[in-house]
Amino acid sequence: MKIAVCIYEGPYNHEASDSAYNFIKAAIDRGHEIQGIFFYHDGVYNVTKLMEPPQDDRHIANRWSALGATGIDIVVCIAAAKRRGIVDDVLVPNVRISGLGQLTMMAIQADRMVVFGD
Amino acid sequence: MAEEIKKIMFTVRKAPHGSIYVYEGLEVKLIMAAYDADISVVFMDDGVFALKQGQDTKELGIKGFAATYGALMDYEIQKVYVDRHSMEVRGMTEADLLVIGEDEETEEPVKPQVIDAQEIAAMMAEQHNILSF
């Protein structure tokens, strides 16, 4: 099954990012295809390289970046990002900023869209 | 051969001004309406407050967006529904609802259509995707 994932919440503050990550790993392990990952609302904060969590904790941005390195398309909404000061310069590698049209294409092309957030 | 048009439903379940979900959710609707998709929007739970006419956010010091709902039909978003029960338990009636456009033929103002939970459930079952804001 082709699955698209949309994440609405910021890192650490909310479990949405962790739940989405665990869901995606489990889906891939089960042989599903991840159509794309879209960060919206405060979710755009998940992929800034400026974050520096304590060393004994998970590094959420690096974790997403590593997932992006496997070829999964990870998109940050430009409108939500601009509002919150997230620009290309602060992104971790393997993610990109684009428009809501990308979310639309994911919603149309994926068999399921799974949303993580309040 | 053209692909079938996908049905995408938006649910609006939060109050309009306590968080940004509803406002940014509206931005998504306006963009998606420009694509080849069968869009519907259902307001339920606290989301029905977003459809209250006469909203004024000046005292809150934030940008309001209720006026954009008044142009939903101009954005080709015709299927706009509101859950009857959610309205009733919040003391709202159809008279409280804002106008989302005007009828092309009669030029009469059009309001969101008040429907029951069973009808919403039936529509949800037909959707390709449901996005909640």
Side-chain angles (χ1 to χ4, degrees):
Chain A
M1 185 179 280
K2 280 193 289 188
I3 301 171
V5 173
C6 193
I7 298 157
Y8 288 173
E9 311 295 338
Y12 304 103
N13 184 61
H14 196 288
E15 70 176 339
S17 177
D18 293 289
S19 299
Y21 181 79
N22 291 329
F23 171 81
I24 290 163
K25 295 292 269 188
I28 293 169
D29 285 347
R30 289 284 189 95
H32 297 292
E33 180 191 335
I34 302 300
Q35 175 91 19
I37 301 168
F38 195 88
F39 287 106
Y40 200 50
H41 300 310
D42 277 2
V44 300
Y45 291 124
N46 277 284
V47 285
T48 159
K49 65 184 180 189
L50 299 179
M51 72 171 65
E52 205 176 325
Q55 285 195 348
D56 56 355
D57 198 358
R58 68 221 187 280
H59 193 299
I60 287 182
N62 285 352
R63 211 165 56 173
W64 288 118
S65 183
L67 207 54
T70 68
I72 296 174
D73 191 20
I74 303 183
V75 180
V76 181
C77 171
I78 188 164
K82 285 183 87 163
R83 192 173 265 135
R84 294 168 176 82
I86 301 297
V87 294
D88 278 324
D89 286 350
V90 304
L91 292 184
V92 290
N94 312 317
V95 305
R96 65 192 179 99
I97 292 182
S98 190
L100 286 164
Q102 296 296 309
L103 177 65
T104 308
M105 295 318 292
M106 287 181 197
I108 290 174
Q109 292 170 353
D111 298 311
R112 292 282 189 279
M113 169 157 267
V114 185
V115 177
F116 291 85
D118 279 341
Chain B
M1 202 174 115
E3 280 193 42
E4 65 167 320
I5 303 288
K6 297 284 174 65
K7 285 177 187 273
I8 298 175
M9 175 187 281
F10 292 92
T11 58
V12 180
R13 313 188 74 145
K14 296 181 204 308
H17 306 303
S19 64
I20 201 168
Y21 298 103
V22 179
Y23 178 33
E24 287 192 325
L26 175 58
E27 292 180 351
V28 178
K29 294 171 192 75
L30 301 183
I31 297 287
M32 283 208 187
Y35 285 76
D36 238 2
D38 181 355
I39 301 288
S40 57
V41 186
V42 184
F43 293 80
M44 59 179 95
D45 300 333
D46 277 350
V48 299
F49 287 129
L51 291 178
K52 212 162 186 301
Q53 60 175 320
Q55 294 176 52
D56 181 359
T57 59
K58 208 184 305 163
E59 294 290 319
L60 294 174
I62 60 174
K63 181 181 165 187
F65 53 91
T68 310
Y69 283 128
L72 278 181
M73 292 181 69
D74 293 338
Y75 283 96
E76 302 294 326
I77 300 174
Q78 320 270 355
K79 298 177 179 175
V80 183
Y81 308 98
V82 52
D83 173 45
R84 186 186 312 279
H85 178 71
S86 300
M87 274 177 53
E88 283 174 0
V89 297
R90 286 163 182 81
M92 280 172 68
T93 67
E94 201 166 348
D96 294 312
L97 296 177
L98 48 73
V99 169
I100 58 165
E102 61 179 33
D103 189 283
E104 274 181 25
E105 284 169 19
T106 65
E107 295 185 2
E108 289 288 314
V110 174
K111 288 192 170 194
Q113 195 181 333
V114 182
I115 60 174
D116 293 314
Q118 291 94 326
E119 294 172 83
I120 296 171
M123 276 195 286
M124 282 180 162
E126 294 177 347
Q127 301 300 314
H128 178 66
N129 270 310
I130 300 176
L131 284 162
S132 180
F133 287 99

